[in-house]
């Protein structure tokens, strides 16, 4: 009867674990409806929270596994999502992004000046009252938060990898044989307090470069207002204040900005 040394057993376990957990790569090219290459496009592996940008030719390459969700984001284009199948590792992907068409509302002139100074000045006073109201609303929107943010549910996409799905037996065998694997743990996602949110937003301001916002003519106050919008829609403080990942947070902010531009005037 053959016997195996402890060293041989560990080597076999290492080779098995390498084969099981080796990363594969997805490649492809990104174009628009006219087959013109688009660059740079943010390519985000939502399942693994990794991101890259496409090159000058519209080509990209990113680590992925079967069933991973890959997201493609570009300002001025509709977002595209792709769930990776086993066949996608054999052939480069062709991703087509559709142009985001923004409809400009019709401008209607409700009042025509008559030349009568007294009558026209009354209409002007009404316009000034409206302008004053808009100014007050703008000041309110830019003011600091005075209450904790509301609780919202977190999408399953952002809860991390589920190592118990389909791999329980493999993990158990490998752990028992060599003791090489430990259960992955992450900080529990909880609702932030007002002070925790302020500290997190201050860290974002220090560590992330916002030149991509300043090139649109946005001042510091406008950037602060946008960050409040991004935190509210993406739940940034809730998800990342305990587990801060600069590249993931930056990708979330850029995705939020693509939506923010659709409904807000930039650089006014």
């Amino acid at each position: 009867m053959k016997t195996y040394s402890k060293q041989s057993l560990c080597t076999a376990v290492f080779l098995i674990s390498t084969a099981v957990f080796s990363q594969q790569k997805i490649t492809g090219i990104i174009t628009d409806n006219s087959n013109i290459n688009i660059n740079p496009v943010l390519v985000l592996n939502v399942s693994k929270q990794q991101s890259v940008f496409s090159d000058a030719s519209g080509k990209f390459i990113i680590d992925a596994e079967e069933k991973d969700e890959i997201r493609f984001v570009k300002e001025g284009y509709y977002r595209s999502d792709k769930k990776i199948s086993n066949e996608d590792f054999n052939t480069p992907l062709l991703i087509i992004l559709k142009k985001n068409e923004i409809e400009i509302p019709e401008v209607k002139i409700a009042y025509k000046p008559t030349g009568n100074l007294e009558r026209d000045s009354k209409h002007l006073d009404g316009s000034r009252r409206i302008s004053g109201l808009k100014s007050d609303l703008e000041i309110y929107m830019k003011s600091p938060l005075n209450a904790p943010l509301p609780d919202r549910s977190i999408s399953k996409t952002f809860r991390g990898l589920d190592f118990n799905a389909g791999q329980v037996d493999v993990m158990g065998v490998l752990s028992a044989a060599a003791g090489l694997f430990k259960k992955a743990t992450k900080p529990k996602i909880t609702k932030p307090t007002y002070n925790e949110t302020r500290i997190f937003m201050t860290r974002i301001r220090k560590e992330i470069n916002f030149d991509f916002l300043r090139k649109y003519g946005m001042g510091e106050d406008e950037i602060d207002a946008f960050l409040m919008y991004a935190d509210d829609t993406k739940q940034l403080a809730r998800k990342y204040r305990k587990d801060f990942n600069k590249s993931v947070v930056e990708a979330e902010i850029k995705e939020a900005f693509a939506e923010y531009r659709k409904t807000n005037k930039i650089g006014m």
Side-chain angles (χ1 to χ4, degrees), residues 57-110:
S57 302
K59 298 178 181 179
F60 68 90
I61 180 171
I62 189 170
D63 292 336
E65 295 181 0
E66 188 176 359
K67 296 183 180 179
D68 279 359
E69 181 182 351
I70 308 298
R71 181 171 297 168
F72 304 87
V73 180
K74 173 69 175 175
E75 295 177 10
Y77 293 83
Y78 288 107
R79 188 183 76 188
S80 178
D81 296 281
K82 168 72 176 176
K83 191 158 219 116
I84 298 304
S85 64
N86 190 45
E87 291 76 13
D88 294 326
F89 294 103
N90 302 322
T91 306
L93 300 178
L94 174 60
I95 306 299
I96 300 176
L97 297 185
K98 296 182 179 180
K99 192 78 172 177
N100 181 16
E101 298 178 357
I102 301 177
E103 182 179 354
I104 300 176
E106 180 183 358
V107 178
K108 296 182 179 181
I109 301 176

Side-chain angles (χ1 to χ4, degrees), residues 30-167:
I30 306 171
T31 69
D32 60 12
N33 290 331
S34 303
N35 292 325
I36 298 176
N37 297 340
I38 305 175
N39 67 85
V41 175
L42 175 65
V43 182
L44 175 65
N45 186 326
V46 178
S47 303
K48 291 184 170 50
Q49 298 187 0
Q50 298 176 354
S51 62
V52 298
F53 284 93
S54 60
D55 62 17
S57 302
K59 298 178 181 179
F60 68 90
I61 180 171
I62 189 170
D63 292 336
E65 295 181 0
E66 188 176 359
K67 296 183 180 179
D68 279 359
E69 181 182 351
I70 308 298
R71 181 171 297 168
F72 304 87
V73 180
K74 173 69 175 175
E75 295 177 10
Y77 293 83
Y78 288 107
R79 188 183 76 188
S80 178
D81 296 281
K82 168 72 176 176
K83 191 158 219 116
I84 298 304
S85 64
N86 190 45
E87 291 76 13
D88 294 326
F89 294 103
N90 302 322
T91 306
L93 300 178
L94 174 60
I95 306 299
I96 300 176
L97 297 185
K98 296 182 179 180
K99 192 78 172 177
N100 181 16
E101 298 178 357
I102 301 177
E103 182 179 354
I104 300 176
E106 180 183 358
V107 178
K108 296 182 179 181
I109 301 176
Y111 178 80
K112 295 182 180 180
T114 63
N116 185 310
L117 182 59
E118 181 179 0
R119 183 180 302 174
D120 292 342
S121 63
K122 292 180 180 179
H123 177 76
L124 179 60
D125 290 339
S127 299
R128 287 175 178 171
R129 287 196 295 271
I130 294 174
S131 298
L133 177 60
K134 290 182 178 178
S135 177
D136 292 340
L137 287 174
E138 183 177 3
I139 293 173
Y140 170 75
M141 291 299 293
K142 292 180 180 180
S143 62
L145 294 173
N146 55 15
L149 293 173
D151 187 17
R152 286 188 172 88
S153 61
I154 301 300
S155 171
K156 294 181 180 179
T157 305
F158 297 98
R159 292 179 180 173
L161 299 176
D162 183 4
F163 290 99
N164 294 324
Q167 297 187 8

